[in-house]
Amino acid sequence: MENKVCLGLLILLLLLVASIRSKFSLIPFERDEGIYGYIGKLILEGKVPYKDFYEQKFPGLFYFYGVMVWLFGDTVDGLHRGFMYLNLVTIVLIYFASARLFSPVPGIIAAITYAFVS
């Protein structure tokens, strides 16, 4: 019974997070997000980090944004949608990891905490 209640709460949490985050999908990027999206696009065009462009962050971030641009497009809406999906997947993974380590109740508490912090 505890499992079913926690899974129901997880689904409710995912719907709530998706509902809230989808309302922000057309808000323009802040300075850093826009740069990372552009650098991700440059990576897809074959540019080499620290040779063709320079940023102080580690190159894994550029490649990650490149994957997001490749999957969801280089528009503000596409990247916001991609990061919303990433957030939802992370919430589910945190729930199942915590539920497996402890029990479903700490799992849902961890998932809710992450959802509100992120």
Side-chain angles (χ1 to χ4, degrees):
M1 184 65 176
E2 180 180 280
N3 244 352
K4 291 180 181 180
V5 169
C6 287
L7 284 175
L9 287 173
L10 178 64
I11 291 170
L12 196 65
L13 176 65
L14 293 174
L15 291 173
L16 177 69
V17 169
S19 167
I20 291 171
R21 288 187 70 121
S22 66
K23 290 177 178 29
F24 296 107
S25 67
L26 295 178
I27 291 178
F29 289 136
E30 291 183 26
R31 181 184 72 234
D32 290 345
E33 289 175 312
I35 290 292
Y36 299 150
Y38 178 67
I39 288 174
K41 188 175 176 182
L42 291 177
I43 292 282
L44 292 176
E45 292 173 358
K47 306 288 187 202
V48 179
Y50 307 110
K51 179 181 173 221
D52 297 320
F53 57 88
Y54 181 76
E55 176 67 35
Q56 292 180 333
K57 307 293 189 273
F58 65 99
L61 181 67
F62 309 143
Y63 292 107
F64 179 74
Y65 268 83
V67 168
M68 292 303 266
V69 168
W70 178 67
L71 287 173
F72 299 102
D74 62 350
T75 64
V76 172
D77 182 48
L79 286 175
H80 277 301
R81 193 171 358 104
F83 285 114
M84 178 185 68
Y85 295 146
L86 178 67
N87 194 303
L88 295 174
V89 167
T90 305
I91 290 169
V92 170
L93 290 175
I94 286 174
Y95 169 76
F96 283 113
S98 297
R100 184 172 173 104
L101 283 172
F102 304 108
S103 71
V105 172
I108 196 66
I109 291 171
I112 290 170
T113 303
Y114 176 78
F116 283 108
V117 168
S118 69

